């Protein structure tokens, strides 16, 4: 179940990042890096920059437990060693929380 939940979160992230806005194409191009990367799941390129390639790394954390009542924060856990590992990248890095809720 854990791998399935993570895969669903990564798929939701890809769909959200590739939404069409005012332009005829998405503004982000995410590329899944596979399970071999320890701290990041995606490299995401900003589409449309001509002179330089602009990108950032993302680790996706998925949950079905919702939000805290007091502070309305998503209930995801990120181990301290992952935070240190992500911070070691010499590039912008983000941890993205996905609330995977199935409605029937």
């Amino acid at each position: 179940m854990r791998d399935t939940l993570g895969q669903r979160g990564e798929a939701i992230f890809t769909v959200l990042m590739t939404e069409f806005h005012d332009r005829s194409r998405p503004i982000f191009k995410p590329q899944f890096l596979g399970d071999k990367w320890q701290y990041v799941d995606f490299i995401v390129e900003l589409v449309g920059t001509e002179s330089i390639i602009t990108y950032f790394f993302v680790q996706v954390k998925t949950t079905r437990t919702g939000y805290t009542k007091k502070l309305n924060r998503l209930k995801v856990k990120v181990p301290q060693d992952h935070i240190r590992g992500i911070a070691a990248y010499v590039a912008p890095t983000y941890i993205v929380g996905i609330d995977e809720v199935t409605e029937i």
Side-chain angles (χ1 to χ4, degrees):
M1 178 66 175
R2 184 174 178 171
D3 287 342
T4 302
L5 183 62
Q7 289 172 349
R8 287 178 57 83
E10 291 161 355
I12 292 167
F13 172 79
T14 299
V15 168
L16 292 173
M17 292 300 288
T18 57
E19 281 186 4
F20 288 77
H21 294 279
D22 294 338
R23 301 169 8 173
S24 61
R25 62 183 180 186
I27 58 175
F28 295 110
K29 180 181 172 187
Q31 178 62 49
F32 181 64
L33 295 173
D35 296 329
K36 298 202 184 285
W37 288 64
Q38 187 172 3
Y39 300 116
V40 293
D41 299 316
F42 290 88
I43 184 169
V44 182
E45 183 181 346
L46 177 63
V47 176
T49 55
E50 303 292 325
S51 59
I52 59 171
I53 297 174
T54 307
Y55 65 93
F56 55 92
F57 291 101
V58 173
Q59 181 182 74
V60 176
K61 292 292 188 182
T62 311
T63 184
R64 287 183 140 184
T65 58
Y67 295 81
T68 63
K69 291 183 181 185
K70 187 174 182 180
L71 297 174
N72 200 32
R73 292 186 178 188
L74 190 60
K75 294 179 185 176
V76 293
K77 294 184 190 291
V78 182
Q80 190 65 36
D81 64 317
H82 283 217
I83 293 171
R84 282 192 292 275
I86 291 168
Y89 281 82
V90 186
T93 56
Y94 300 92
I95 299 172
V96 174
I98 300 288
D99 184 16
E100 196 279 339
V101 178
T102 305
E103 299 211 14
I104 299 175

